[in-house]
Amino acid sequence: MRSLTRHTLFWPLLALALLLVVNVIATPSFFSIRIQDGHLYGSLIDILRNGAPTLLIALGMTLVIATRGIDLSVGAIVAIAGAVTCTYLAGSPDEGSVSRAIVAMSLAVGVCVLLGLWNGFLIAVLGIQPIIATLVLMTAGRGLAMLITDGQIITVNNALFKKVGAGFVLGLPVAILIAMAVFAVTAVLTRRTALGMLIESVGINPEASRLAGVRARTITWTVYVFVAFCAGIAGVMIASNTSAADANNAGLFIELDAILAVVIGGTSLAGGRFSLTGTLIGAMFIQTLATTIPTIGIPSETNYLFKAVVVILVCLLQSPKARAALSVRRQSPLLTKGSAA
Amino acid sequence: MFKKLMTVAAGVVLAGGLAACGSDGDGGSGGSGGAGGSGGSDEITMGFAQVGAESGWRTANTKSIQASAEEAGIDLKFSDAQQKQENQIKAIRSYIQQKVDVIAFSPVVETGWDTVLAEAKRAKIPVILTDRSVDSDDTSLYKTFLGSDFVLEGEKAGQWLVDNAKTSDTNGDGAIKVVELQGTTGAAPAIDRKTGFEDKIAADDTIEIAASQTGDFTRDGGKKVMESFLKSQQDIDVVYAHNDDMGLGAIEAIEAAGKKPGVDIKIITVDAVKDGMTALSEGKINFIVECNPLLGPQLMELAKKVVAGEEVPERVVTEETVFDQEQAKAVLADRQY
């Protein structure tokens, strides 16, 4: 039992399981999944589909945080990706065509990669602190998105584009399939090659890594491009979900959700260590929490408070010190090693 | 090296900030240049300080004011505050200096206007509030407030449901189960539209609000909340959304659940923007209460009266109507926003 509770993923998984149990008690049919128009339909499917953008961004954020950085601009990048896609589609003569949709989405992700290059340049080359460097784009980016859409909500009608965020393949939501594909590729690249270890070493000490022959600058730069790439795909997904680009609200505060997912997953904000599986669980936890609020009927006025209380509880659960203080049979703090959170 | 670059970066940011301030100043001085000519003629000069251009609704509002000013022969000095109160106060001060005949503005926030409005009063320039009100004990600071009555909008929505209670019971179980998609928590339109709706449906015992949650006035929010409602609530008959966007999100969620919006679940929304009206004409929404941004003509009429020294009511409600599916089809073609 002790070895189980010591596993870094034990507490986030327990929190997720508890949250699901609360939902089942409130709505007994919560786990029921049926086939609707040829695809799976149910609350759990909603969680997977709506959680996909957060998961994508949290994946990128995990690597950024592992280098002891942070990216606050992802929400703005989401808005820009949606704005670019929808504005391009709405302005093209054949709005519904497949090729246009592909061009529009590639263009959007391309723009986001450029923005990631910009962030990476500020941080890796100019040495500006990540929180400040990405703050620039966080504030300016939403304005940029508004400029692209002219401050309007752009609605488009394109079957392929709609599939990305709201569609299904083989009964499963396309959004989660894309997110899981990115997850798999990231996991293979970081855990089956030395890349993951190099990222961690940069997070622990960039200067020492450089002296040891690690290209710290390139690695730092790359993770910011990667997170922007993820945010770009997430932005296309979010816009696709409602077939509309809302520059004011798309991806609003998603950077905080992503950071929270990473932290709940056991990746330390101090850098040097990361868990992709933890992030996956963290992202699903955040989305389940969001779905829980309307399901169990928390009043609008108190839903932020409810969210905050749950998050604090999870963080306390993860903190060995807090657990030790709370447990009646108090163990020596040295014995509980899993120093998450 | 790093330090140098940082300094440069900081310099660029600062210069950007200054440029922004500069452009504001330019706007002001450009305006005062134009004002010189207006002194002698009979033409009324109006200074209008807009909130910004944050939504399609607001853009339509701006266009309406500009177009109707031209039509009414009123010389309009327009400024955009970019959602900042200080910009709006600056603009109002410059209008006072220019000695315009009347000042109109949509306050960004409710409080903090007493000083600048007192300045306008001393300069004997009448002030008209549009769309949003100010929170001040001294109501003599402004002549009138022209804007929507959000409570009334909620009441209209509730009244329609009471009037159409029979057909709204889509599953025929005798009870009408309503789920409500609220606007941003704490926003005046959200609070008032909820209150108005609840007041009216109290008249019919069969109507009950089964669940109510904020969708933050967005499509995404409306869709996600509706998805949860569809699973946690049995037999939903009616959706009442505080704006069209959340209603449009709810439509997507209802369609994904294999139900027909407008038929299996009735939808009532507020606003009547073009996308909403399109959905209404397609039969996916059943009823829309208008929240009219086109208050230009009413504003110009009020301005003329105020300048001529005539009495005007303290509160003028924007002319707003309601649309059902047939009416939507008729007016959709020339909907401006």
Side-chain angles (χ1 to χ4, degrees):
Chain A
M1 183 62 196
R2 176 97 46 78
S3 65
L4 185 69
T5 59
R6 220 183 277 168
H7 194 283
T8 38
L9 295 183
F10 175 78
W11 297 105
L13 268 177
L14 180 73
L16 180 59
L18 282 178
L19 205 53
L20 289 173
V21 168
V22 168
N23 275 298
V24 175
I25 293 170
T27 317
S29 63
F30 190 75
F31 280 147
S32 72
I33 291 177
R34 63 184 161 95
I35 305 281
Q36 175 69 51
D37 302 331
H39 63 76
L40 296 176
Y41 178 87
S43 297
L44 293 180
I45 303 296
D46 282 349
I47 292 174
L48 287 178
R49 195 168 53 80
N50 290 330
T54 317
L55 170 60
L56 267 173
I57 295 175
L59 274 178
M61 192 69 81
T62 309
L63 300 188
V64 167
I65 287 176
T67 65
R68 213 192 290 173
I70 199 128
D71 190 342
L72 298 180
S73 69
V74 286
I77 294 180
V78 161
I80 291 173
V84 170
T85 317
C86 291
T87 311
Y88 181 85
L89 273 179
S92 66
D94 43 350
E95 195 183 301
S97 85
V98 172
S99 58
R100 288 285 170 184
I102 293 172
V103 174
M105 291 189 278
S106 317
L107 189 70
V109 176
V111 168
C112 295
V113 167
L114 281 181
L115 294 171
L117 280 168
W118 162 254
N119 274 340
F121 172 75
L122 290 181
I123 295 155
V125 179
L126 301 188
I128 299 174
Q129 284 174 343
I131 200 165
I132 302 298
T134 56
L135 193 63
V136 173
L137 197 55
M138 177 188 176
T139 15
R142 210 162 275 284
L144 206 61
M146 298 269 287
L147 206 64
I148 297 170
T149 60
D150 228 357
Q152 312 285 317
I153 296 176
I154 313 269
T155 313
V156 295
N157 200 348
N158 184 304
L160 178 73
F161 172 58
K162 195 178 167 124
K163 265 227 134 118
V164 174
F168 292 83
V169 165
L170 302 172
L172 287 169
V174 176
I176 194 66
L177 292 177
I178 295 175
M180 288 313 292
V182 175
F183 177 82
V185 170
T186 315
V188 168
L189 278 180
T190 53
R191 289 311 187 201
R192 289 283 167 255
T193 72
L195 185 64
M197 195 187 67
L198 299 184
I199 289 173
E200 287 173 335
S201 79
V202 171
I204 293 164
N205 191 333
E207 191 56 24
S209 309
R210 195 182 65 79
L211 292 173
V214 178
R215 289 193 181 173
R217 183 180 287 182
T218 314
I219 285 185
T220 311
W221 203 334
T222 312
V223 293
Y224 284 96
V225 175
F226 178 67
V227 72
F229 168 77
C230 290
I233 302 179
V236 172
M237 257 177 212
I238 290 174
S240 155
N241 191 23
T242 51
S243 287
D246 182 350
N248 267 316
N249 298 301
L252 197 63
F253 301 131
I254 204 167
E255 58 275 353
L256 301 181
D257 278 351
I259 293 168
L260 203 56
V262 174
V263 171
I264 288 176
T267 299
S268 155
L269 279 179
R273 203 166 67 97
F274 68 90
S275 163
L276 289 177
T277 319
T279 297
L280 173 68
I281 296 166
M284 287 306 129
F285 176 81
I286 301 278
Q287 188 55 48
T288 310
L289 186 56
T291 308
T292 305
I293 289 169
T295 303
I296 68 176
I298 305 277
S300 299
E301 294 79 11
T302 54
N303 62 26
Y304 285 108
L305 186 68
F306 173 77
K307 244 176 151 171
V309 168
V310 174
V311 168
I312 288 173
L313 285 178
V314 173
C315 291
L316 285 178
L317 260 181
Q318 280 188 319
S319 152
K321 267 194 187 158
R323 277 208 308 273
L326 288 174
S327 82
V328 190
R329 284 171 50 214
R330 195 163 176 267
Q331 306 279 334
S332 157
L334 282 174
L335 279 174
T336 41
K337 252 169 59 185
S339 57
Chain B
M1 175 67 188
F2 277 174
K3 261 190 187 160
K4 228 182 215 172
L5 281 168
M6 289 281 274
T7 325
V8 172
V12 169
V13 170
L14 272 181
L18 284 176
C21 301
S23 64
D24 280 348
D26 287 350
S29 60
S32 61
S38 67
S41 70
D42 292 340
E43 194 179 55
I44 296 173
T45 310
M46 173 192 275
F48 189 87
Q50 182 60 288
V51 177
E54 77 277 11
S55 63
W57 192 95
R58 186 69 60 192
T59 315
N61 181 241
T62 299
K63 280 186 187 151
S64 161
I65 289 164
Q66 286 169 334
S68 45
E70 206 178 313
E71 212 167 277
I74 290 178
D75 181 18
L76 181 74
K77 307 200 170 305
F78 185 87
S79 76
D80 182 329
Q82 297 168 338
Q83 280 109 82
K84 287 200 185 68
Q85 183 177 29
E86 52 179 285
N87 290 346
Q88 232 172 9
I89 290 178
K90 246 188 263 170
I92 294 171
R93 290 223 165 98
S94 91
Y95 293 147
I96 296 171
Q97 279 168 5
Q98 293 169 39
K99 300 195 172 56
V100 297
D101 299 309
V102 56
I103 293 174
F105 76 113
S106 302
V108 175
V109 292
E110 283 197 336
T111 51
W113 299 103
D114 291 21
T115 317
V116 69
L117 290 185
E119 284 170 30
K121 195 181 175 187
R122 270 200 298 280
K124 298 201 171 54
I125 301 176
V127 174
I128 302 174
L129 305 176
T130 66
D131 172 40
R132 302 182 186 182
S133 183
V134 299
D135 185 11
S136 171
D137 297 334
D138 186 359
T139 51
S140 74
L141 290 176
Y142 57 89
K143 288 282 175 206
T144 178
F145 165 39
L146 168 67
S148 305
D149 184 337
F150 300 132
V151 177
L152 188 65
E153 288 169 2
E155 286 176 356
K156 285 177 183 168
Q159 190 59 49
W160 183 85
L161 183 57
V162 172
D163 293 345
N164 294 274
K166 278 223 171 71
T167 50
S168 297
D169 183 14
T170 53
N171 52 8
D173 61 358
I176 299 168
K177 207 165 168 184
V178 184
V179 294
E180 183 181 33
L181 302 172
Q182 294 179 38
T184 309
T185 310
I191 297 168
D192 293 351
R193 284 173 190 168
K194 186 174 163 62
T195 316
F197 185 75
E198 282 170 353
D199 286 353
K200 281 291 169 189
I201 60 166
D204 191 330
D205 300 338
T206 56
I207 305 173
E208 57 139 357
I209 298 182
S212 178
Q213 184 58 244
T214 174
D216 282 319
F217 281 134
T218 66
R219 281 185 206 187
D220 202 44
K223 182 172 181 179
K224 284 179 181 158
V225 172
M226 194 61 208
E227 280 171 354
S228 303
F229 281 166
L230 282 165
K231 275 134 208 165
S232 58
Q233 302 291 334
Q234 306 302 316
D235 313 322
I236 298 171
D237 295 304
V238 177
V239 175
Y240 169 48
H242 288 185
N243 76 347
D244 287 347
D245 280 322
M246 290 190 294
L248 292 167
I251 289 175
E252 303 227 353
I254 293 170
E255 282 175 345
K259 292 188 171 159
K260 259 188 102 165
V263 179
D264 296 335
I265 295 179
K266 304 266 176 184
I267 301 177
I268 307 168
T269 68
V270 184
D271 257 7
V273 297
K274 197 158 192 172
D275 286 344
M277 291 294 275
T278 310
L280 180 62
S281 68
E282 288 166 355
K284 292 179 177 178
I285 296 180
N286 300 79
F287 188 67
I288 298 186
V289 179
E290 186 184 37
C291 180
N292 189 4
L294 308 180
L295 44 75
Q298 271 180 296
L299 174 62
M300 298 310 148
E301 204 174 299
L302 277 175
K304 281 182 181 166
K305 279 189 187 162
V306 166
V307 172
E310 291 173 35
E311 276 298 308
V312 288
E314 223 170 83
R315 174 84 169 90
V316 181
V317 177
T318 329
E319 286 159 13
E320 289 174 336
T321 175
V322 292
F323 298 102
D324 61 22
Q325 294 171 343
E326 291 311 312
Q327 288 159 325
K329 277 178 202 154
V331 300
L332 184 64
D334 33 54
R335 198 80 186 153
Q336 298 168 31
Y337 55 97

